[in-house]
Amino acid sequence: EKGGFEHFMMKEIFEQPKAVRDTITPRIRNGHIVLDDITLTAEELRRFTKINIVACGTAYHVGVVAKYAFEELLRIPVEVDVASEFRYRDPILNENTLMIIISQSGETADTLAALREAKRAGCRVLSVVNVVGSTIATESDDVLYTWAGPEISVASTKAYSTQLAVIYLLALYIGEQLGKFTQEQLSAYIAALEKLPEQIDEMLKHKENIQFFASKYFNASDMYFIGRNVDYAASLEASLKLKEISYIHSEAYAAGELKHGPISLIEDGTLVIALATDARLFDKMMSNIKEVKARGAVVLGVATEDKKEIAGQTDMVFYIPKTASFMLPSLSVIPMQLFAYYVASMKGCDIDKPRNLAKSVTVE
Ligand code: M6R
């Protein structure tokens, strides 16, 4: 049942190229995004003055990427909340708010409560769900399914990748409906999206580099992930993945926040993983890398393959292929998932069933 892999998590990491392809392919036709599954009309889309996104855990981290993508492509304000906060903060919602709910299981208690709250307030609710017929799917006005197949490992991997794919599809769909792109822009985005599965596949072939890095640092007591913009969003997911399965204390920080506190924790040998894939912010990230190196940090850099100069400032680099800037987390997360997996495996942890965690959190 694990298809020759030792754990479901690794099997599911390797299923990502196919899962992403299955999620994307039926929704791209003749150079256009076609979302047959949803009923939102262009007229309805024009009415929305705000988008709210609500989710928990890994699905929330997809929401953080979505905020960057939607605001950049659509110029509509986006708020992202974890469901347990959203429910109790008396959010400002009305019929001009598009509520997007993201959930692999479709059964998470806080996320479901947030959906009901949004419906009471008159919002239009669109959910991104993996489990067909789940409660969240049933209660939403529209559902976009991720075609990831069953995800068994508690640590979410292919759900994350397919949720991101759906978010890109939705951003491009809304953008196209609202006339936000030229035909050239739309074609370039669609080409980038269609290329993701093979790029993910290519990266999985270099898993030994990550395994080697993990073998050197799996005994660390703390790790810090830093990034800016979508690299910050990916850092949040990288840090969660590591801590949930390896039990190593880790934190994700917006790199610009370092000097507002956390840099005091950096000392000789502290491990910092710097995600620097966003070309617009590469120089800023290089400065942050120099700052932590100057205080003794060991740095793993993650950068696009055209930024070889990062090697001069880091102890090891993992290169990813280039893509549209808002799609970068789909690629940068791959070495981070593998890193968490190898560290947990070298520590002898129960990877598919980490202590204290359940696959689906159906109680508050
Ligand atoms: O089923 P959901 O997507 O609603 O679950 C949300 C979180 O419980 C889930 O993503 C959790 O954070 C994972 N264990 C992360 O790997």
Side-chain angles (χ1 to χ4, degrees), residues 44-55:
E44 285 170 308
L45 288 170
R46 258 189 294 277
R47 215 184 58 223
F48 297 127
T49 51
K50 183 165 69 93
I51 298 175
N52 274 72
I53 304 177
V54 174

Side-chain angles (χ1 to χ4, degrees), residues 2 5 16 22 84 114 149 188-189 207 225 228 254 264 267 273 294-295 311 322 325 335 363:
K2 291 179 193 149
F5 292 94
Q16 289 178 111
D22 290 349
S84 56
Y189 288 141
K207 62 182 195 308
F225 294 83
R228 291 167 180 263
S264 68
E267 50 188 12
I273 300 178
R295 283 145 185 102
K322 289 186 76 171
S325 57
V363 290

Side-chain angles (χ1 to χ4, degrees), residues 14-23 147 162 197:
F14 273 79
E15 280 170 354
Q16 289 178 111
K18 177 180 186 305
V20 171
R21 191 174 289 119
D22 290 349
T23 299
W147 298 119
T162 53

